[in-house]
């Protein structure tokens, strides 16, 4: 047999290259900058991210296989990479002031952030199990470190250890699953797995089933599906808030990208099997995530659980396994990146306004925010309403899309469960709004601290996005439908 | 286009209202009222074309992928509601100017009430069910913000949240129902759905659709058992109660039922569910109202009763009942709006709303008293008010009901008796009654607070005397609901017939109840009993149990201990993968016999097992690390035996490095602490064995497969040819799969950076906070 080696098409992965090169440049530049000027590293990092986003635009209607058919640059990866870059850009904006204030080593911080971004961007493009795994490890290892970067906080270290140990475990399962699949198919390429399954039909061999099961566990850990979610609140709470903001959006996009390619492409032949597994996981994830969030008074933990619940909603769209479903997943992830990172950014702002190292983390810290920071409170209220799914904000449209897809696929019980879950979630999101608007600040000391303009810009962008794409979703939906059409069209 | 402007202008005004309020101060109400007044005139001008059967429909794309458009559909039903919303809206805004005075938050109030008005208009004018839902939720949201307007008080906050949770939950049920409806009817556009009634009623999803939509409508319109939020919502400022919680928002559920009755109505299920809920609500509301002593709560419960009556009429679904319902909508909005505003004025002037302390106000507040009297007459259904015509029509419709006419008629008469008494209590007793010890001596209310009650109560009288204007609106609305031209002729005198007899009976009994109200109050209260056992209790129980469930699952899953998390992950894996293995018949192929193994293999395997045991049991870290390395070396030896020296060498190198690292680190760590009990250890051992067993089974399954050697042959043949290297492994690493190797190096580099970053940072001072708290408790 002949193994053909395709010509090296580096242009197709230019965005990833730009981000990783930026990471290295940033690392070098940091070495020569004195400590007090290292905050400026944020700007070249941001520039790198924006250039990469520009390249995405340039590459828009491509469908290229590159690096020996290891990566595919198509609408699927380009659109998801756009979301990842948005999350990264927002996270950088949020870090400008915060990273210095909690005394993170900024050179390494920005560099790792960008490397993790690179990993995520490779993951969306990976069409081979090997690249998938490498990309996953690349993003994870950078994140393990980022989570533990706040050495002044014991919780940060604890979070990092938990994340590392559990992450290593789940990576092990993932790898084992991949090995079993390879053992059966004789190839790591997702397309080969698909072809193999089509040829075997319903007689598909047990190894593929087992491989799929183990891989689902691995991905389930990354996107925090119940029951592989337990690390999330501990890690989200312990990590520096800007890192939490970034990972809550970025890892989910990357994880769902991989999950989507594996289920919809490679294992499309086993669709009637994994649909049920995913449906059950989605139901569990939504329900347990929302229930657990109910009782949280620590906002970082609450948002962690809420992010678990949102992973459940997104999974509903994937479970539908039709075009509307994928449309919904893409649109939701896009909106979610703004909503969730924005909400964490408000916590960063509240941290600035308080004096203790955990200021802004507790519900009480937001009491009376509407009184002395009306714009910040308004932004947070918008984000909370959007996360609840209150029309006409973008979060509502996203949920509507997801649940419509489930109805279309005949998974009516799942759609109804999703709606019920939204009711439960209203309780804890609204509690934030009530606290900000209807309760008075205790202790009466209001720090008149100015907020960093970059942070303000980031929050404003996130809040406006939830309104804008709720009212005028057509611009982004057109992009989404073109993408998914080419994905399903072959 | 004018329709869009009607809605958008409201939202635009919402934005500028706070600034306007700062400029215009006391006159703000009058200025803002210009907008709803203009709208009311616009809608009135559309009356004739629409009464003739015309429909205004327009559509703009919004989310084309899902068939959601920003479309509007205006027929007689929409128009009736639009007139009520804009007309009463204008009066309420004017009234609010006097009610709030120089309230520091007045700007916020105007903004919110305008937002509500625009949303409510959007709701009744929308032509796409999802667009309608969007406005539906916006009305719930603005209601929430308005109830909690006076947020200093805990009661207001709690009531606001309760109202939002109940209506919000119902709203989401409605959303689910609408999505299913779209699925069954093939479109989300009202104009299409209205013609798909037959197809939808025979669809297998019909019952789910109906139930979900009814939950939405019933929560919004405060039907039993969801009615309890409405009396609670009386924490809102009075103009809000008059406008949202009596005249408009709570009627949204009625609007929805009327709107969808051509699609969903007429079936058995519809009839029993809608009529049943309506009857229960009507009776309960009327009965409880009599025992209340707070003016606003009395009015709230009587509103509940009216909403029940409206739902009941729509459930009957005859031409006559729909006509009666449409007229009732109008009548009720007029008299109840007036009474609420009057209650606010009384409260404003005297400082109390307790009916037991009010009386003889007529002298001090003559205009208010006249308005109150007229509104009460209309409410009691006495001639020559529009309320009288309405009651006649109600009874007629009920007498001619196709099913259970005796039952619904007697229920209606009973409820109306109570309402006659209630009308006396709120509209007559405070002004003409004898008892009086208000906290403040009253004056007549300011002009702004007189316009609303006077106009509304006056309209009740004028329309009673000259019912033609009302009949145009009502027949247009009824025609839209019935989807046929429906002529409604309203007149005061129908002649002597059974209906008149029922009316007389109602009034006589009502007056009797009114006279006996003091005695009844002392005798005990239905309201208390219902409060104790009613759905409000279930609501708090539900909230408490949700909280409990949350606590239990948190304690179970979120212990904060890494080992527990690992346990769950491992067990889930064993369950998921193990069950697949069993169900799909893995391991059915014969496993290669163990006896084939050679002596060396047996020895090494025994060594590995021993080392494993030692690693697990040893109390010292150093010994455990050493045992682990023995396992590694053992595996390397196995590689040797199977003639893979390169692999074995790598393994030796890695193992050696690991041992060195281990020893370096272990040196600085304390000895193992004994953390687990004996039982926990046994459990852990069992789990470990399960996981190990699963892995073994997986390996054995994999071994039974035919081996695919094409890669091996390919590399063996081509490594010299293509890569110019005799060492196949080297050639694979640096040539064939060079990019993978590069990737791995990158990953290692990242790890290196990470470790470097961690090492460089020395802990400057030990953090004073303890270890993390695993769980937060509320």
């Amino acid at each position: 047999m002949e193994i053909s080696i395709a010509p090296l098409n580096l242009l197709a992965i230019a965005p990833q290259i730009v981000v990783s090169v930026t990471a290295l440049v940033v690392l070098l530049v940091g070495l020569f900058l004195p400590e007090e000027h290292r905050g400026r590293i944020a700007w070249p990092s941001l520039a790198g991210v924006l250039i990469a986003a520009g390249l995405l635009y340039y590459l828009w209607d491509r469908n290229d296989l590159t690096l020996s058919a290891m990566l595919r640059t198509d609408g699927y990866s380009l659109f998801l990479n756009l979301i990842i870059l948005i999350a990264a850009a927002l996270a950088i904006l949020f870090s400008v002031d915060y990273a210095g204030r909690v005394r993170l080593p900024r050179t390494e911080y920005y560099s790792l952030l960008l490397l993790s971004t690179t990993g995520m961007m490779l993951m969306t493009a990976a069409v081979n199990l090997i690249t998938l795994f490498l990309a996953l490890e690349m993003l994870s290892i950078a994140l393990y470190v980022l989570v533990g970067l706040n050495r002044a906080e014991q919780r940060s270290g604890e979070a990092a250890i938990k994340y590392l140990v559990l992450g290593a475990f789940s990576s092990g399962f993932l790898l084992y699953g991949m090995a079993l699949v390879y053992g059966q198919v004789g190839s790591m390429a997702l397309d080969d797995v698909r072809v193999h399954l089509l040829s075997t039909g319903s007689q598909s061999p047990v190894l593929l089933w087992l491989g799929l099961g183990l891989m689902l566990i691995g991905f389930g850990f990354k996107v925090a599906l119940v029951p592989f979610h337990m690390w999330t609140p501990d890690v989200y709470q312990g990590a520096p808030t800007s890192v939490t903001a970034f990972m809550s959006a970025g890892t989910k996009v990357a994880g769902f990208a991989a999950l989507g390619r594996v289920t919809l492409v490679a294992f499309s032949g086993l669709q009637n099997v994994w649909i049920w597994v995913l449906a059950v996981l989605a139901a569990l994830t939504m329900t347990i995530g929302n229930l657990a969030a109910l009782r949280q008074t620590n906002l970082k933990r609450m948002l962690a659980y809420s992010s678990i619940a949102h992973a459940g909603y997104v999974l509903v769209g994937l479970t539908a396994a039709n075009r509307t479903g994928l449309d919904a997943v893409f649109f939701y992830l896009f909106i979610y990146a703004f909503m969730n990172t924005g909400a964490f950014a408000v916590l960063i702002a509240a941290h600035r306004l308080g004096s203790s190292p955990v200021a802004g983390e507790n519900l009480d810290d937001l009491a009376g925010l509407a009184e002395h920071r009306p714009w910040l409170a308004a932004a947070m209220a918008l984000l909370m309403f959007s996360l609840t799914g209150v029309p006409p904000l973008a979060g509502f449209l996203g949920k509507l899309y997801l649940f419509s897809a489930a109805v279309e696929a005949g998974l009516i019980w799942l759609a109804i469960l999703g709606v019920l879950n939204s009711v439960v979630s209203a309780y804890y999101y609204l509690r934030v709004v009530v606290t900000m608007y209807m309760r008075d600040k205790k202790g009466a000391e209001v720090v008149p601290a100015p907020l960093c303009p970059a942070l303000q810009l980031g929050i404003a962008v996130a809040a406006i996005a939830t309104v804008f794409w709720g009212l005028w979703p057509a611009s982004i939906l057109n992009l989404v439908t073109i993408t998914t059409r080419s994905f399903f069209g072959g | 286009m004018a329709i869009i402007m009607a809605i958008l202008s409201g939202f635009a005004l919402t934005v500028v209202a706070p600034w306007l309020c700062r400029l215009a101060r006391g006159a703000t109400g009058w200025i803002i009222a210009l907008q709803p007044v203009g709208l009311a005139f616009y809608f009135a001008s559309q009356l004739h074309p629409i009464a003739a059967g015309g429909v205004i429909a327009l559509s703009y794309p919004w989310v084309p992928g899902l068939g959601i458009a920003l479309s509007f559909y205006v027929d007689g039903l929409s128009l009736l509601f639009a007139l009520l919303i804009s007309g009463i809206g204008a009066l309420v805004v004017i009234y609010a100017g006097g009610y709030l005075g120089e309230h520091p938050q007045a700007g916020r109030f105007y903004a919110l009430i305008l937002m509500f008005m625009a949303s409510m208009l959007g709701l009744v004018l929308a032509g796409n069910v999802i667009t309608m839902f969007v406005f539906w939720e916006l009305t719930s949201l603005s209601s929430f913000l308005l109830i909690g307007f006076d947020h200093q008080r805990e009661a207001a906050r709690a009531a606001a949240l309760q109202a939002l949770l109940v209506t919000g939950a119902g709203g989401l049920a409605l959303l689910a129902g609408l999505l299913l409806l779209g699925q069954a009817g093939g479109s989300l556009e009202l104009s299409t759905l209205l013609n798909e009634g037959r197809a939808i009623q025979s669809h297998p999803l019909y019952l789910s659709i109906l139930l979900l939509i009814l939950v939405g409508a019933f929560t919004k319109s405060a039907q039993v058992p969801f009615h309890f939020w409405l009396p609670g919502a009386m924490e809102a400022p009075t103009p809000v109660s008059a406008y949202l919680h009596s005249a408009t928002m709570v009627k949204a559920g009625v609007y929805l039922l009327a709107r969808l009755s051509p699609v969903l109505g007429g079936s058995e299920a519809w009839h029993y569910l809608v009529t049943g809920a309506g009857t229960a609500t009507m009776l309960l509301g009327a009965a409880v109202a009599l025992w209340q002593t707070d003016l606003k709560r009395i009015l709230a419960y009587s509103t509940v009763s009216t909403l029940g009556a409206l739902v009941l009429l729509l459930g009957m679904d005859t031409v006559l009942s729909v006509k009666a319902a449409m007229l009732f909508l109008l009548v009720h909005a007029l008299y109840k709006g007036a009474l609420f505003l009057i209650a606010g004025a009384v409260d404003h002037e005297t400082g109390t709303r307790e009916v037991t302390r009010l009386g003889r106000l007529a002298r001090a507040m003559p205009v208010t008293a006249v308005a109150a009297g007229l509104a009460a007459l209309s409410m009691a259904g006495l001639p020559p008010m529009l309320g009288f015509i309405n009651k006649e029509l109600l009874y007629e419709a009920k007498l001619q009901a196709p099913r259970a006419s005796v039952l619904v008629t007697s229920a209606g008469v009973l409820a109306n008796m109570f309402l006659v008494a209630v009308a006396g209590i709120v509209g007559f007793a405070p002004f003409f009654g004898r008892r009086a010890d208000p906290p403040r001596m009253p004056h007549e209310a300011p002009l702004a607070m007189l316009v609303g009650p006077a106009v509304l109560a006056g309209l009740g009288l004028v329309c009673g005397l000259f019912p033609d204007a009302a009949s145009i609106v009502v027949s247009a609305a009824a025609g839209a609901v019935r989807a046929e031209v429906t002529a409604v002729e309203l007149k005061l005198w129908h002649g002597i017939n059974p209906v008149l007899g029922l009316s007389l009976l109602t009034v006589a009994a009502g007056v009797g109840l009114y006279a006996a109200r003091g005695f009844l109050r002392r005798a005990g209260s239905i309201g208390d009993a219902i409060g104790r056992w009613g759905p409000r209790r279930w609501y708090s129980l539900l909230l408490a149990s949700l909280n409990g469930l949350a606590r239990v699952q948190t304690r179970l899953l979120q212990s904060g201990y890494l080992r527990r998390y690992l346990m769950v992950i491992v067990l889930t894996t064993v369950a998921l993968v193990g069950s697949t293995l069993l169900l799909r018949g893995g391991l059915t192929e014969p496993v290669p016999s163990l006896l084939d193994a050679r002596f060396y293999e047996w020895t090494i395997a025994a060594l590995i097992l021993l080392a494993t045991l030692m690693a697990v049991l040893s109390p010292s870290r150093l010994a455990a690390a050493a045992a682990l390395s023995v396992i590694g070396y053992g595996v390397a030896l196995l590689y040797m035996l199977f003639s893979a020296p390169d692999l074995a060498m790598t393994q030796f190198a890695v193992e050696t490095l690991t041992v060195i690292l281990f020893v370096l680190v272990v040196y600085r760590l304390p000895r193992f602490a004994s953390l687990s009990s004996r039982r926990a250890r046994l459990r852990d051992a069992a789990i470990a064995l399960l996981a190990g067993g699963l892995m073994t089974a997986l390996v054995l399954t994999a071994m039974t497969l035919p081996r695919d050697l094409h890669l091996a042959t390919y590399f063996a043949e081509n490594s010299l040819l293509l890569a110019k290297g005799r060492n196949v492994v080297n050639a694979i690493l640096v040539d064939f799969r060079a990019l993978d190797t590069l990737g791995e190096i990158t990953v290692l580099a990242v790890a290196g950076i990470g470790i470097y970053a961690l090492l460089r940072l020395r802990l400057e001072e030990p953090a004073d906070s303890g270890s993390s708290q695993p769980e937060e408790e509320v």
Side-chain angles (χ1 to χ4, degrees), chain A residues 1-3 8 27 38 67-68 70 103 105 108 111-112 115 130 134 137-138 141-142 145 148-149 151-155 158 161-162 165-166 169 173 176 180 182-186 202-207 209-210 213-214 217 221 227-231 233-234 237 277 288 291-292 294-298 301 305 324 362 385 390-392 396-397 400-401 403-404 407-408 412 416 419 422-424 426-427 430-431 434 437-440 470-474 477, chain B residues 62-66 68 105 130 133-134 137-138 141 144-145 148 151-152 157 160-161 164-165 168-169 172-173 175-176 179-180 183 205 212 543 546-551 553-554 557-558 560-562 564-566 568-570 572-573 576-577 580-581 584-586 695 698-699 701-702 705-706 708 710-711 714-715 718 737 739-740 743-744 746-747 750-751 753-765 767 769-778:
Chain A
M1 80 166 251
E2 185 59 40
I3 292 180
L8 212 54
L27 197 59
R38 286 195 188 149
L67 297 184
S68 313
M70 286 286 179
R103 291 204 281 162
E108 294 85 344
S111 180
L112 285 165
L115 282 176
I130 286 285
L134 282 179
E137 288 305 294
M138 186 168 173
I141 291 173
V145 183
L149 214 49
R151 290 295 301 271
E153 266 287 323
Q154 265 197 12
R155 292 182 316 178
E158 184 184 328
I161 286 288
K162 279 181 179 164
V165 172
L166 292 171
F169 236 84
F173 286 131
Y176 207 152
L180 291 180
Y182 175 73
Q184 180 63 46
V185 180
S202 59
Q203 300 292 303
S204 52
V206 63
L207 270 199
W209 289 58
L210 297 174
L214 287 167
I217 291 167
F221 175 83
F228 316 109
H229 68 288
M230 289 93 72
W231 57 276
D234 296 358
Q237 185 186 10
V277 179
I288 295 209
L291 274 181
L294 277 184
R295 289 180 56 80
Q296 302 303 324
T297 50
N298 181 299
R301 287 185 83 83
Y305 281 114
T324 319
N362 283 313
F385 282 134
V390 171
F396 160 72
L397 219 53
L400 182 67
Y401 232 115
F403 300 151
S404 304
V407 169
E408 198 181 304
I412 288 165
I416 291 180
V419 169
S422 305
V423 179
V424 174
Y427 183 80
L430 284 178
R431 208 168 49 179
V434 169
Y437 278 87
M438 303 190 181
R439 270 175 48 196
D440 293 326
L471 294 177
W472 292 278
L477 281 175
Chain B
W62 186 20
V63 193
L66 289 178
I68 301 173
Q105 302 277 331
I130 299 296
F133 172 77
V134 169
E137 288 294 78
L138 279 177
L141 199 63
F144 163 70
L145 294 169
H151 58 73
Q152 305 295 336
R157 292 205 301 263
L161 195 61
L164 183 61
L165 284 178
L172 287 167
L175 174 63
L179 283 181
L180 295 186
Q183 184 79 4
L205 284 174
L212 287 167
L543 277 193
L546 259 184
N547 250 325
L549 201 61
R551 189 174 51 227
Q553 83 82 26
T554 313
L557 287 179
Q558 205 67 49
Y561 293 122
L562 185 57
R564 294 269 172 82
Y565 298 174
L566 273 178
V568 173
I569 291 186
V570 168
T572 320
T573 310
L576 197 69
V577 179
T580 318
L581 194 67
R584 291 289 299 173
M695 290 305 151
L698 282 180
V699 171
T701 315
L705 286 166
D708 182 351
H710 75 260
L711 269 184
Y714 172 83
F715 284 126
N718 288 308
R737 321 257 349 151
L739 283 168
D740 298 353
E744 266 170 62
T746 314
V747 173
V750 175
I753 296 171
I755 293 168
Y756 173 73
L758 285 177
L759 285 181
R760 240 196 45 179
L761 280 162
R762 255 168 257 118
L763 261 185
E764 275 134 30
E765 71 257 47
S769 63
S771 74
S772 88
Q773 293 153 330
E775 200 42 55
E776 309 287 331
E777 297 278 327
V778 174

Side-chain angles (χ1 to χ4, degrees), chain A residues 181-225:
Chain A
V181 171
Y182 175 73
Q184 180 63 46
V185 180
S187 162
M188 288 283 191
L190 296 180
D191 266 326
D192 293 340
V193 178
R194 181 174 60 90
V195 171
H196 183 91
L197 263 173
L198 289 182
S199 66
T200 52
S202 59
Q203 300 292 303
S204 52
V206 63
L207 270 199
L208 284 183
W209 289 58
L210 297 174
L212 178 62
L214 287 167
M215 282 164 71
L216 284 183
I217 291 167
F219 291 130
F221 175 83
K222 279 296 159 209
V223 297
L225 301 182

